[in-house]
Amino acid sequence: MSQNDRDQKYWKANLSLVRNCLIVWAVVAFGFAIILRPLLSGIQFGGTDLGFWFAQQGSIIVFLALIFFYAWRMNKLDRDFGVEE
């Protein structure tokens, strides 16, 4: 495998990881908190309805989890392609 092929695979894997993280973030932040809020309003979670919880706390918790997941996956990806620091 040439250096150019490896670089393209690394970049493609990086973009795939970013795309997947953004999809999860969008589903939680916009899907659960805004679009699906009427469906989730009857479900109680932490003393409030689940749609409100996602809008106020759940999307932030998921966002923080995505940051740590992204860092962990990028470190693994860097090691796999031999570009770690």
Side-chain angles (χ1 to χ4, degrees), residues 22-79:
L22 286 175
I23 288 171
V24 170
W25 172 77
V27 167
V28 171
F30 295 110
F32 288 164
I34 297 172
I35 297 170
L36 296 176
R37 190 184 186 300
L39 295 174
L40 299 174
S41 65
I43 301 170
Q44 291 292 315
F45 184 79
T48 185
D49 68 86
L50 190 57
F52 182 77
W53 184 84
F54 267 111
Q56 296 299 312
Q57 296 175 350
S59 59
I60 296 169
I61 292 170
V62 170
F63 182 69
L64 289 174
L66 282 174
I67 290 171
F68 288 107
F69 174 76
Y70 178 78
W72 172 72
R73 284 294 297 160
M74 279 306 299
N75 284 335
K76 184 177 182 322
L77 198 64
D78 288 349
R79 281 193 305 272

Side-chain angles (χ1 to χ4, degrees), residues 5-22:
D5 290 340
R6 189 173 52 185
D7 290 346
Q8 286 182 352
K9 286 185 178 186
Y10 175 75
W11 185 242
K12 190 173 184 177
N14 187 1
L15 289 179
S16 176
L17 177 61
V18 170
R19 181 195 67 226
N20 292 338
C21 287
L22 286 175

